[in-house]
Amino acid sequence: MFEWIQFIVGTAFLLTGIVIFAIELYGSFHYDYVLNRMHMAAFGDTVGIGISLLGLMIISGLHFTTLKMMLVIIFLWCASPVSSHLIAR
């Protein structure tokens, strides 16, 4: 029973990440101003990948791979906004 709940919650997070990627794609092409487009791209990268990886972490359970995915999330949360800010300058 626990595996099914774990799978359903993880899948829900993965689907939420896909929806955020779709919003990012729409916003990147919808806005006219370049900085608004860059904001949507940075938002989608940071939040979309974070939520998708969180879903994968829930599905995989507690393993060394889960720790690696958490480190990827932390790196992306630090690197993606900084890199988009530097590109904007």
Side-chain angles (χ1 to χ4, degrees):
M1 183 71 179
F2 178 72
E3 288 96 18
W4 281 101
I5 294 171
Q6 182 179 5
F7 179 73
I8 290 170
V9 171
T11 305
F13 274 103
L14 280 173
L15 291 175
T16 304
I18 290 172
V19 168
I20 289 175
F21 284 132
I23 292 170
E24 170 199 358
L25 184 65
Y26 174 76
S28 294
F29 288 112
H30 178 69
Y31 289 122
D32 293 330
Y33 190 55
V34 173
L35 295 179
N36 290 341
R37 289 180 179 184
M38 290 181 66
H39 174 72
M40 286 304 295
F43 173 77
D45 288 344
T46 305
V47 178
I49 292 173
I51 290 178
S52 297
L53 282 174
L54 185 64
L56 289 174
M57 287 169 55
I58 292 171
I59 290 173
S60 72
L62 254 87
H63 298 289
F64 188 65
T65 308
T66 308
L67 175 65
K68 290 178 188 178
M69 285 189 263
M70 179 57 78
L71 291 174
V72 168
I73 290 173
I74 291 170
F75 174 75
L76 287 175
W77 278 356
C78 294
S80 182
V82 172
S83 62
S84 65
H85 178 74
L86 290 175
I87 290 172
R89 287 193 163 258

